[in-house]
Amino acid sequence: METAIIISSFFLVLFAVLALYDGFYLHIFKYQLHDREESKTEHITHTLRAVFFPAILYFLFLKQDNHTSFVIGLTIVILDIMVLGYDAFIEKDSRQFMGGLPRWEYIVHLFVNGFHFASIAVYLSIRLTFQNGEIMISNINQSPGFFNLLIVNLLPGAILMAILHLFLCIPKTANLWNNFRSKINCC
């Protein structure tokens, strides 16, 4: 179990680093997808996924004291997969302004999502066991532990990214961000 926790943690850290680069720097800062009419739907899918991530961290990874939290977390993971599929479907049209999705960014998307879902899959392999034809959900006795410490430290940044994505869905607050962004670009 310890090895699986380390692997899941490693994948979570890799995901967080790549997601920050892709979701913040590329999507919001560089390409400003929230400001492009053809990319508004893609920004909404990114916003949904940005909201799902802290919920997954909390309900699936952190809150292990009841099965309801686990089921909520698993449900959010399934919704996340569905939104990811839709995001991939619309991405070609959304990125027409730049001649389509660059190959290198496509590769970043593969890695970021691979690390995200690998961390979840490894974690599920720890929590789920099958006995006598039944699925058993076990808790990880790690409190406070390294894994919980990692999750607790990822949560504030994940929540901040979700808030920023939501903020950019509203035209007035998106203008505030754009003004702020233009000030730091000029200096």
Side-chain angles (χ1 to χ4, degrees):
M1 181 184 333
E2 255 182 54
T3 303
I5 290 288
I6 292 168
I7 292 169
S8 187
S9 300
F10 179 69
F11 285 147
L12 268 173
V13 169
L14 289 174
F15 165 73
V17 169
L18 280 177
L20 184 62
Y21 172 72
D22 185 50
F24 177 70
Y25 176 70
L26 292 178
H27 294 175
I28 291 174
F29 203 79
K30 184 176 180 182
Y31 298 133
Q32 301 174 36
L33 298 181
H34 61 281
D35 272 345
R36 302 183 179 279
E37 195 57 44
E38 66 273 25
S39 302
K40 295 264 187 211
T41 304
E42 183 181 359
H43 179 71
I44 291 170
T45 63
H46 295 169
T47 300
L48 287 170
R49 296 198 69 213
V51 169
F52 290 158
F53 183 59
I56 290 168
L57 287 175
Y58 181 77
F59 287 108
L60 188 67
F61 290 115
L62 188 62
K63 190 159 174 50
Q64 297 181 24
D65 57 354
N66 68 55
H67 297 313
T68 304
S69 294
F70 184 78
V71 171
I72 291 169
L74 222 54
T75 302
I76 296 167
V77 168
I78 292 166
L79 291 171
D80 189 33
I81 292 168
M82 291 169 38
V83 171
L84 171 63
Y86 183 69
D87 178 47
F89 179 76
I90 64 168
E91 207 151 35
K92 182 180 177 184
D93 296 332
S94 173
R95 300 300 185 91
Q96 286 295 329
F97 71 92
M98 55 192 287
L101 188 67
R103 186 170 292 168
W104 62 269
E105 190 180 354
Y106 178 75
I107 292 167
V108 169
H109 288 176
L110 287 174
F111 278 104
V112 75
N113 286 297
F115 292 143
H116 175 58
F117 292 111
S119 70
I120 292 168
V122 171
Y123 182 75
L124 290 176
S125 76
I126 301 166
R127 296 282 312 269
L128 295 175
T129 56
F130 299 93
Q131 295 176 348
N132 300 327
E134 289 186 34
I135 300 173
M136 308 297 286
I137 304 168
S138 60
N139 293 343
I140 301 172
N141 296 326
Q142 276 255 317
S143 288
F146 167 77
F147 189 72
N148 284 355
L149 184 62
L150 174 64
I151 302 304
V152 166
N153 280 287
L154 286 174
L155 263 171
I159 292 169
L160 187 60
M161 286 306 298
I163 290 169
L164 178 59
H165 275 79
L166 288 166
F167 182 78
L168 293 174
C169 287
I170 304 165
K172 281 187 178 185
T173 53
N175 286 335
L176 290 173
W177 168 260
N178 293 337
N179 290 336
F180 170 74
R181 186 190 163 281
S182 67
K183 287 179 184 173
I184 41 180
N185 263 354
C186 71
C187 302

